[in-house]
Amino acid sequence: MGNIVAEEILVKTPAKTDLLEIKRVTISPYFPALLKKRLDIKSIYLDSPRIILKRTKQDKWLLPEFKKKEDKKDNKADEKLPIAVIVKALEVNNGKVVIIDELKGFNMELTDITAAIKSNENILKGKSHISMSAKLPRGGKTTLKSDGEIPDKSFKGSLSVRDLDMTLFKPYMDGDANIKKGRMNLDSNFNIVKEYIKAPVTLNFKDLDI
């Protein structure tokens, strides 16, 4: 059986601004599993996705609105999906995240984003391995590696940031403070369990001039 392909996907916010663009989505399903009332997807591949996060001058982030689900305690059967959904891999290539803060006059792009979430069982329920990397403006880069369970919000991994240009954050400096130059490296081995986060951080600054 072949793949399912969708191209030129666009998601907008309630304010009609662009939120998510995806050049191509490729889904690789195992169709015979449908006979067992199971949707088995070997992989979902996102080519060139672009996320735009924007805050207006009125201090409002332009994000999608999610309605709260109605209480269905009297009919729990309605909460169950008609078929079991299994996804073993989600991959992202050539992604981009654009952050626009009109209130502070801040703009930043994360480019060349690659990401992979893989599981031998199901990334929606079982244990998964997560790896991500991205380029930061002006020669910086960041990487993340983690193992955990998405539904349980439990992860253990490492985050690394290299050569982050500190002058990017000038719009957020108050008073007479001013960053003339400087680079920052960050390393953190984190442990997340539910809402509890333990993430000791090591910072190293180079050529910092304030």
Side-chain angles (χ1 to χ4, degrees), residues 73-153:
K73 293 182 179 180
D74 297 333
N75 192 357
K76 294 184 179 180
D78 291 342
E79 299 176 3
K80 297 180 180 179
L81 293 173
I83 60 175
V85 179
I86 298 173
V87 181
K88 294 188 176 180
L90 172 64
E91 298 182 71
V92 174
N93 181 59
N94 193 34
K96 180 183 288 187
V97 174
V98 181
I99 303 172
I100 304 170
D101 188 347
E102 293 182 343
L103 185 64
K104 292 292 187 178
F106 173 79
N107 295 279
M108 186 171 75
E109 290 190 3
L110 281 68
T111 59
D112 291 345
I113 298 173
T114 60
I117 305 175
K118 298 182 178 181
S119 173
N120 293 329
E121 302 172 358
N122 186 358
I123 65 173
L124 302 176
K125 291 186 178 181
K127 294 182 178 180
S128 302
H129 175 72
I130 301 172
S131 60
M132 300 177 66
S133 66
K135 289 183 179 179
L136 303 174
R138 304 170 190 171
K141 62 181 180 180
T142 181
T143 58
L144 181 146
K145 295 182 179 180
S146 176
D147 292 291
E149 297 185 17
I150 294 176
D152 290 342
K153 301 177 183 178

Side-chain angles (χ1 to χ4, degrees), residues 30 33 51 54 66 74 108 139:
Y30 181 66
I51 298 174
K54 185 176 182 179
F66 298 98
D74 297 333
M108 186 171 75

Side-chain angles (χ1 to χ4, degrees), residues 35-53:
L35 299 175
K36 299 180 181 179
K37 293 185 177 182
R38 189 176 76 229
L39 180 57
D40 196 334
I41 299 174
K42 291 180 286 186
S43 66
I44 300 175
Y45 181 81
L46 307 182
D47 180 25
S48 303
R50 180 172 178 259
I51 298 174
I52 303 97
L53 302 175

Side-chain angles (χ1 to χ4, degrees), residues 155-204:
F155 301 94
K156 186 176 182 180
S158 61
L159 172 66
S160 173
V161 177
R162 288 291 176 270
D163 289 322
L164 176 62
D165 188 347
M166 296 299 293
T167 63
L168 290 168
F169 301 100
K170 281 185 178 181
Y172 295 98
M173 300 296 289
D174 294 326
D176 296 329
N178 181 32
I179 300 178
K180 298 178 181 178
K181 66 175 182 178
R183 297 274 175 165
M184 184 189 77
N185 292 337
L186 179 151
D187 291 286
S188 177
N189 293 318
F190 59 85
N191 192 3
I192 303 173
V193 180
K194 304 296 183 182
E195 286 77 24
Y196 176 76
I197 301 175
K198 182 179 180 181
V201 174
T202 300
L203 298 176
N204 180 268

